[in-house]
Amino acid sequence: MSILVVGSVAFDSVKTPFGEVEEVLGGSATYFSTSASYFSGVKLVAVVGSDFPDKHLDSLKKRGIDISGIKKVDGKTFRWKGYYDYDLNQAHTLDTQLNVFSDFDPDIPSAMADSKYLFLANIDPELQLKVLEQVKSPRLVACDTMNFWIEGKPDVLKKLLKRVELFVINEGEAREFTGEASLVKAAKKILDLGPNTLIVKRGEYGALMFNGTSVFSAPAYPLEEIYDPTGAGDSFAGGLIGYLANSGDLSDDNMRRAIIFGSVMASFNVEAFSMGRLGNLTNEEIRARYYEFKKLTRFEEL
Ligand code: AMP
């Protein structure tokens, strides 16, 4: 079963304590699609400018991603510039240029409108809503966002959340969005807005899932070398939704497996800048790391 995703396709300029890159391939939908492509078919809807090189489109296509929903228009591609200090959980944005996304009006081709799995990756919530309105009867609608939109368009975001089943958000953003320091209280407030499952991404501390009846805590993989956390959240979502779409099983047990696959993909992503590691994995590496996660959290009954 394939996934329809809308989100940013971007040029990122990133500095971390371990290196620096200028105008490399990035964007929420790029990281999501690359990650999800190891599990399931992906159809990507986005817009890029005339400065976007074909080699980037080819690299997405090579991963089997359907790029027929990427429009190339006159103008400049979305750009994001940021840096991280030694606390790699905290991205500091220096510049966000929406460029061609400012007047993007997504028009979902009919062949994509009956997608059963929809991921609204981080982008203007108005665009996320416009895409959602065109998808006929999705089985699972999931979405992500960030402080830029929480601060800029909180009401649109709340309107969107009424129609979303699975919401993934960073720990700091969950606190900012709800005004609650306790993640348990923040989760209750967010679940009251509409989603039936919330996943809070906690960077190097893993992820927490809340669904109103149970809480699941997944660790992050203890890596020795981390180069760049950019895209960790989106590659997490790619592994998560990719695995759910492939298995077709939305039960609590399977959601837990999917969260571990999300964590596996995020752990690979941070090992290099841009798609340096995420774009070149093997299924064996992914499976082996899944079992490393199992060993990491195994303990015996009393
Ligand atoms: P994350 O997975 O949260 O680290 O997301 C990183 C990606 O989000 C980067 O590749 C950026 O291009 C993209 N990004 C940054 N700011 C925004 C924004 N305001 N809207 C959409 N995408 C963004």
Side-chain angles (χ1 to χ4, degrees), residues 10 41 50 53 56 60 69 79 81 97 101 125 148 154 159 210 220 244-246 253 256 258 260:
S50 43
H56 288 336
L60 293 169
R79 277 166 171 77
K81 188 171 183 172
Q97 292 175 22
F101 267 104
F148 189 86
K159 190 171 161 200
F210 298 87
L244 290 175
N246 179 256
D253 280 352
R256 291 170 185 235
I260 300 299

Side-chain angles (χ1 to χ4, degrees), residues 7-14 24-31 78-81 84 91 93 95-96 98 101 121-124 144-149 170 173 201 229-236 269 275:
S8 55
V9 171
F11 286 131
D12 287 349
S13 297
V14 187
V24 294
L25 176 62
S28 56
T30 311
Y31 280 108
F78 179 104
R79 277 166 171 77
W80 179 74
K81 188 171 183 172
Y84 302 82
T93 294
D95 191 24
T96 303
L98 298 178
F101 267 104
N122 177 26
I123 195 67
D124 186 336
D144 189 6
T145 192
M146 72 179 294
N147 50 5
F148 189 86
W149 305 113
N170 281 349
E173 288 156 2
K201 298 171 287 177
T230 309
D234 304 303
S235 36
F236 173 88
N269 175 66
M275 308 299 134

Side-chain angles (χ1 to χ4, degrees), residues 17-288:
F18 315 105
E20 189 170 356
V21 287
E22 287 278 319
E23 307 235 317
V24 294
L25 176 62
S28 56
T30 311
Y31 280 108
F32 175 88
S33 312
T34 306
S35 173
S37 68
Y38 289 93
F39 300 88
S40 140
V42 186
K43 300 178 167 87
L44 201 171
V45 170
V47 63
V48 294
S50 43
D51 54 356
F52 197 75
D54 286 343
K55 68 169 188 199
H56 288 336
L57 293 174
D58 290 343
S59 69
L60 293 169
K61 217 164 151 183
K62 266 200 202 118
R63 288 243 25 97
I65 298 164
D66 179 344
I67 57 163
S68 61
I70 302 184
K71 266 194 199 154
K72 199 172 199 174
V73 300
D74 283 344
K76 285 173 85 180
T77 298
F78 179 104
R79 277 166 171 77
W80 179 74
K81 188 171 183 172
Y83 71 95
Y84 302 82
D85 291 324
Y86 278 94
D87 176 4
L88 294 168
N89 286 343
Q90 185 61 49
H92 302 277
T93 294
L94 293 170
D95 191 24
T96 303
Q97 292 175 22
L98 298 178
N99 295 333
V100 290
F101 267 104
S102 317
D103 34 38
F104 178 48
D105 193 6
D107 182 18
I108 306 299
S110 56
M112 296 188 184
D114 52 12
S115 298
K116 292 293 165 223
Y117 294 84
L118 175 60
F119 185 65
L120 306 165
N122 177 26
I123 195 67
D124 186 336
E126 308 222 26
L127 289 179
Q128 293 176 311
L129 256 179
K130 273 188 183 167
V131 170
L132 175 57
E133 271 153 15
Q134 295 175 59
V135 178
K136 286 180 202 136
S137 51
R139 179 154 182 242
L140 178 71
V141 179
C143 91
D144 189 6
T145 192
M146 72 179 294
N147 50 5
F148 189 86
W149 305 113
I150 291 171
E151 288 154 24
K153 300 198 175 178
D155 295 337
V156 189
L157 187 58
K158 283 183 187 154
K159 190 171 161 200
L160 173 74
L161 287 179
K162 283 192 187 135
R163 301 174 57 187
V164 163
E165 277 106 34
L166 172 58
F167 186 37
V168 282
I169 187 172
N170 281 349
E171 176 176 17
E173 288 156 2
R175 293 199 168 103
E176 180 180 358
F177 188 39
T178 58
E180 293 289 354
S182 150
L183 283 181
V184 177
K185 283 188 183 159
K188 277 192 186 144
K189 277 195 175 169
I190 291 174
L191 293 178
D192 280 347
L193 293 172
N196 52 34
T197 304
L198 168 72
I199 298 177
V200 180
K201 298 171 287 177
R202 306 183 61 228
E204 63 180 313
Y205 306 112
L208 280 173
M209 177 191 73
F210 298 87
N211 61 16
T213 49
S214 69
V215 180
F216 175 60
S217 172
Y221 190 69
L223 283 170
E224 206 168 317
E225 307 273 10
I226 299 182
Y227 283 91
D228 177 19
T230 309
D234 304 303
S235 36
F236 173 88
L240 169 84
I241 314 285
Y243 183 74
L244 290 175
N246 179 256
S247 59
D249 175 356
L250 303 181
S251 66
D252 186 64
D253 280 352
N254 207 49
M255 186 68 80
R256 291 170 185 235
R257 284 186 206 105
I259 288 172
I260 300 299
F261 275 113
S263 309
V264 164
M265 299 312 282
S267 76
F268 282 121
N269 175 66
V270 303
E271 289 180 351
F273 284 92
S274 189
M275 308 299 134
R277 184 80 168 107
L278 190 67
N280 307 294
L281 293 168
T282 64
N283 291 334
E284 289 68 37
E285 284 174 310
I286 293 171
R287 223 181 146 71

